[in-house]
Amino acid sequence: MINTNNKIKLDKKSYYLSFPKKWEELISKIMPLSVVTNLSDMLELVEILQWIKDKKFFDKVILDDNLEKKIYNILRKSISSKEKKKELFQIYLSEDEFNTNNFHKLFVKFKIWDSLEDSDFKEYLSSNKRNLKYLMRDKKIIEKFSKVIYDSFLTDSMHTSDNIILIMNSDKATNFPNSFLNSGIFQIMVEKLVSTQSQAGTRSISLYQQILDFKSSIFPLNESIFNYRL
């Protein structure tokens, strides 16, 4: 159950640029805090951390040079236990109101992932709340959940297209489980996609063309699976 006793409620950043006094009022509520107990407040604090990186915003309205350090201290104390991290993770998955980008920043920076079991991460991978592209920038996360990720890429029909696109859009900063190497996983995924869509009488022609244009020594593809002209 979500704790609705929120201590922090942000307006848009532009509002505080127009009315710096309102920012001063907000900061006066944050600086005395030691902890926050609900996910909504935590994500608002993460949002403020992003604003601080904006020099224009920082120069105009930031009133306390210790604000960034203070926010980090609040968040560390608020999510220090394994139990709290798992609770926050389950709340995020069960409710739709949370900012996905800010949650994933919290998830990585404060190592919420390190308190999860394989079953938790499997639930995450099968949800519509995931941002796997972001998480795959972190090698330790991928190492911890390598088997779950590999199995998910093979079996999760709901995200087959998304996972194929994730592979094709990967770059040097993207980490894949070692089990992906020389496994033929990309071939299997594409075959599954083509077979499923063929049975349904549909064809994602633009995606098929992207797949044919994708060339990778790590993820080779036998193009004969496309037995019709695109």
Side-chain angles (χ1 to χ4, degrees), residues 11-230:
D11 283 294
K12 293 183 178 180
K13 182 166 65 171
S14 58
Y15 173 78
Y16 297 110
L17 285 171
S18 299
F19 303 100
K21 280 290 184 183
K22 293 297 183 180
W23 177 257
E24 183 176 356
E25 292 173 9
L26 176 67
I27 298 307
S28 68
K29 296 178 181 178
I30 294 175
M31 295 306 290
L33 296 176
S34 175
V35 297
V36 290
T37 58
N38 63 71
L39 184 55
S40 295
D41 282 343
M42 294 176 194
L43 298 186
E44 295 286 54
L45 290 174
V46 171
E47 182 71 12
I48 293 173
L49 289 175
Q50 308 313 304
W51 292 359
I52 291 174
K53 297 176 183 178
D54 181 342
K55 189 176 186 304
K56 177 183 176 183
F57 184 78
F58 185 89
D59 289 345
K60 188 167 184 179
V61 301
I62 298 295
L63 303 174
D64 192 320
D65 292 339
N66 294 318
L67 177 60
E68 183 175 15
K69 181 179 179 180
K70 176 64 177 180
I71 290 175
Y72 274 114
N73 285 339
I74 293 171
L75 290 172
R76 287 191 186 98
K77 291 179 181 178
S78 300
I79 54 178
S80 59
S81 71
K82 179 177 180 178
E83 292 74 20
K84 185 63 177 181
K85 290 178 180 180
K86 294 193 72 169
E87 176 191 345
L88 294 172
F89 177 76
Q90 289 300 328
I91 290 173
Y92 169 73
L93 289 185
S94 64
E95 301 291 337
D96 294 329
E97 68 180 79
F98 302 113
N99 182 299
T100 298
N101 290 335
N102 285 347
F103 175 78
H104 282 82
K105 289 181 173 67
L106 190 77
F107 185 88
V108 173
K109 183 67 178 179
F110 295 92
K111 295 187 175 181
I112 290 176
W113 58 269
D114 199 33
S115 296
L116 303 181
E117 307 297 334
D118 282 359
S119 58
D120 299 316
F121 202 72
K122 182 178 180 180
E123 181 182 2
Y124 165 83
L125 290 175
S126 64
S127 76
N128 61 359
K129 309 289 291 295
R130 66 184 211 160
N131 185 348
L132 191 53
K133 181 178 180 180
Y134 182 81
L135 296 191
M136 292 183 85
R137 305 276 172 177
D138 192 302
K139 187 175 182 179
K140 291 183 178 179
I141 295 176
I142 303 309
E143 288 176 346
K144 177 175 174 64
F145 298 110
S146 59
K147 186 179 186 306
V148 179
I149 295 170
Y150 182 86
D151 291 345
S152 174
F153 271 57
L154 284 180
T155 62
D156 184 358
S157 299
M158 185 174 74
H159 290 107
T160 300
S161 296
D162 292 339
N163 291 335
I164 288 172
I165 292 170
L166 190 153
I167 288 176
M168 293 192 298
N169 290 340
S170 62
D171 55 30
K172 292 181 179 179
T174 307
N175 296 282
F176 289 101
N178 290 333
S179 54
F180 275 40
L181 303 178
N182 302 315
S183 68
I185 190 171
F186 188 66
Q187 178 81 28
I188 296 170
M189 292 167 63
V190 173
E191 288 177 353
K192 181 177 180 179
L193 173 70
V194 173
S195 174
T196 300
Q197 293 197 345
S198 178
Q199 292 175 21
T202 61
R203 294 177 180 177
S204 301
I205 301 300
S206 61
L207 177 57
Y208 291 176
Q209 189 60 61
Q210 292 177 54
I211 293 170
L212 285 172
D213 292 340
F214 176 67
K215 307 298 180 185
S216 170
S217 58
I218 300 176
F219 299 107
L221 178 68
N222 183 345
E223 298 175 4
S224 64
I225 60 171
F226 295 101
N227 55 3
Y228 48 84
R229 179 173 294 184
L230 297 181

